[in-house]
Amino acid sequence: MSTKVKVRTKSITKGRKSLFLDFYPPIINPKNGKETRREFLGLYVFDKPKNPFDRKHNVETLFIANSIRQKRENNLNKPEIYTEHEKEQLAILQKGEQSFLDYYKKLASDKAKGVWSSAFSCFKRFAKGDVRFSQIDKPYMDEFKQYLLTHKSLRTGSVALSTNSASTYFSLTKTALKQAYRDEIIAIDISSKLDGIKMTEVRRDYLTVDELNSLVKTDCSNLQVKNSALFSALTGLRFSDIQKMVWSEVEHVEGQGYFLNFTQKKTKGIEYYPISEQAFNLLGERGRPEDKIFKGLNYSSWLNKQLFRWVVKAGITKDITFHNFRHSFATLQLFNGTDLFTVSKMLGHKDIQSTQVYAKVVDESKRIASDRIKLDFD
């Protein structure tokens, strides 16, 4: 993009106007490395010339100013005008004027739908219009943090956003800034300077084996919903990984059984994952290698309604979502003696700390069980 230079005036004392050059887009001042749009020429003209001498002065001065303007414009549009450092600074400034909202939106659309979309929508509501990368700093992000902790949920419009949702949305926005730093759009890693919102521990409902068996015996209006949920309970896979499964990822090794060979959507980790024969039987008739196994399975309010009706029909009163089937897998594995490290690997967690929340559920249940046997010593 070429630089345009105009001669502008600014009123000063004694009926005069100072002349300056106006640059668009801004240029880098080689003396201080900062961007500027103005260069004052040290020349002036009379606003209302009163005699021939003043008029002549104006004509000669404007001729000089326009000569300087032409020279500046010619020089600025030569590729060699900037030093390498100046070119780098100019590139940073130009990138800083890009829309962070557009960048965030594209990043969210490339990720799994759901929480990323919600985080973007929440930030967009906070921003109240477009926001450039150059506008985002620690104070701005601290304001966003307070906004998340004090404003209402986008979904309900009346209930305050939960602390854990606020924590997740803030974390994803930090991730977007981290990615912008990696993409060299911003020169400073702002995300590293931000403290996150601490999550609160929540109750993780899980289904017992008896409850899962009740669901097996209960009809569901959508067989894909039923089979995919039970598949999650038998494998611990996330909805996003089940949704994208294709037949080429399912393998059988003689003498060893069935395996999934896939890349986790959330963590991008490559998994070679054993599954039981019961889990395999839920997949139905094998299709072409590129065919999705659970066709038409999309996360939506409609899916949640189908799931809710099926759970209620089975006589289960717990608040169960699709993700609770993954919780059930983890909890039941620990109940049945599978060690924490193995469960962590089967869940695809990057670190064992993420798995320890399930161990707390097991410990709590053991404590309750230990108090069930009471002897009458009175």
Side-chain angles (χ1 to χ4, degrees):
M1 179 179 179
S2 61
T3 302
K4 301 297 182 183
V5 185
K6 302 287 185 182
V7 175
R8 309 284 190 196
T9 62
K10 180 181 179 182
S11 296
I12 54 176
T13 60
K14 299 179 181 179
R16 298 174 301 167
K17 288 187 176 181
S18 176
L19 302 181
F20 67 92
L21 300 182
D22 179 22
F23 304 97
Y24 185 82
I27 65 169
I28 299 296
N29 186 330
K31 294 181 180 179
N32 57 25
K34 296 181 179 179
E35 68 171 348
T36 183
R37 282 197 59 176
R38 290 184 174 187
E39 178 188 340
F40 283 91
L41 300 177
L43 303 173
Y44 71 89
V45 293
F46 293 102
D47 187 17
K48 296 178 180 179
K50 298 177 180 179
N51 54 62
F53 298 104
D54 291 349
R55 287 192 289 272
K56 181 180 179 183
H57 168 85
N58 281 8
V59 171
E60 292 176 348
T61 302
L62 287 170
F63 179 83
I64 294 171
N66 277 299
S67 297
I68 296 172
R69 182 207 68 79
Q70 186 66 59
K71 184 178 179 181
R72 290 285 194 279
E73 189 170 86
N74 290 342
N75 287 337
L76 285 169
N77 291 307
K78 290 179 181 178
E80 67 275 8
I81 188 63
Y82 295 118
T83 65
E84 287 304 313
H85 173 70
E86 290 166 351
K87 288 178 182 177
E88 290 175 5
Q89 294 298 310
L90 182 59
I92 290 170
L93 287 170
Q94 289 174 338
K95 287 180 178 179
E97 295 307 301
Q98 294 181 41
S99 168
F100 173 66
L101 213 58
D102 288 346
Y103 180 87
Y104 196 171
K105 182 178 181 180
K106 183 179 185 308
L107 192 64
S109 67
D110 291 340
K111 301 286 185 180
K113 291 182 178 179
V115 66
W116 269 93
S117 178
S118 298
F120 167 75
S121 297
C122 206
F123 183 85
K124 182 179 179 181
R125 188 172 68 169
F126 161 75
K128 296 180 180 178
D130 202 7
V131 57
R132 301 185 301 275
F133 280 100
S134 60
Q135 294 175 269
I136 299 175
D137 53 15
K138 188 177 184 302
Y140 185 90
M141 289 301 293
D142 285 341
E143 284 183 29
F144 179 50
K145 183 191 294 186
Q146 287 303 118
Y147 173 86
L148 289 171
L149 292 171
T150 56
H151 280 66
K152 306 298 183 184
S153 165
L154 284 171
R155 183 171 57 86
T156 64
S158 57
V159 180
L161 194 66
S162 73
T163 301
N164 287 357
S165 291
S167 175
T168 300
Y169 294 171
F170 191 72
S171 178
L172 292 179
T173 307
K174 283 177 60 180
T175 299
L177 289 170
K178 170 70 79 171
Q179 188 60 50
Y181 172 70
R182 289 171 177 164
D183 290 341
E184 298 183 351
I185 295 175
I186 51 178
I188 299 173
D189 182 11
I190 299 170
S191 66
S192 65
K193 302 178 183 297
L194 304 174
D195 295 324
I197 300 171
K198 188 176 180 180
M199 280 197 167
T200 58
E201 197 166 312
V202 295
R203 176 181 174 83
R204 293 175 179 263
D205 275 328
Y206 68 93
L207 294 157
T208 65
V209 173
D210 287 343
E211 288 169 333
L212 287 170
N213 280 327
S214 293
L215 288 169
V216 169
K217 296 169 185 175
T218 303
D219 290 333
C220 179
S221 59
N222 188 296
L223 190 60
Q224 292 283 56
V225 171
K226 177 178 180 177
N227 287 349
S228 60
L230 293 174
F231 185 81
S232 179
L234 288 171
T235 62
L237 289 185
R238 298 179 180 90
F239 177 86
S240 58
D241 290 323
I242 293 173
Q243 180 190 34
K244 72 179 184 64
M245 279 174 55
V246 293
W247 280 107
S248 61
E249 296 174 333
V250 182
E251 301 177 5
H252 182 266
V253 179
E254 193 65 36
Q256 296 185 42
Y258 295 98
F259 291 84
L260 296 179
N261 191 354
F262 72 105
T263 301
Q264 288 192 73
K265 188 166 186 175
K266 180 177 180 179
T267 66
K268 307 303 179 186
I270 298 172
E271 300 291 336
Y272 195 63
Y273 192 96
I275 63 173
S276 67
E277 188 166 349
Q278 280 191 334
F280 174 78
N281 290 335
L282 289 168
L283 303 182
E285 186 178 350
R286 183 179 282 274
R288 295 174 298 179
E290 68 275 13
D291 286 347
K292 281 192 174 183
I293 295 172
F294 294 103
K295 294 179 180 178
L297 185 68
N298 293 302
Y299 195 83
S300 63
S301 58
W302 178 86
L303 179 144
N304 287 330
K305 286 178 183 177
Q306 301 298 312
L307 194 67
F308 173 77
R309 290 171 182 168
W310 174 44
V311 170
V312 170
K313 191 176 179 181
I316 299 168
T317 57
K318 295 175 181 176
D319 185 15
I320 299 298
T321 66
F322 198 100
H323 204 62
N324 289 109
F325 288 89
R326 174 173 162 88
H327 293 331
S328 301
F329 169 83
T331 307
L332 293 175
Q333 285 288 347
L334 291 169
F335 265 130
N336 286 282
T338 307
D339 65 272
L340 194 64
F341 179 79
T342 301
V343 174
S344 180
K345 290 299 180 185
M346 295 180 79
L347 291 173
H349 287 163
K350 287 187 174 182
D351 56 73
I352 203 165
Q353 283 76 20
S354 300
T355 321
Q356 285 176 333
V357 292
Y358 299 104
K360 290 181 180 179
V361 176
V362 175
D363 289 342
E364 181 184 352
S365 297
K366 286 179 179 178
R367 165 54 56 193
I368 294 170
S370 71
D371 290 333
R372 283 181 179 153
I373 300 175
K374 295 185 182 293
L375 301 180
D376 187 5
F377 285 105
D378 295 332

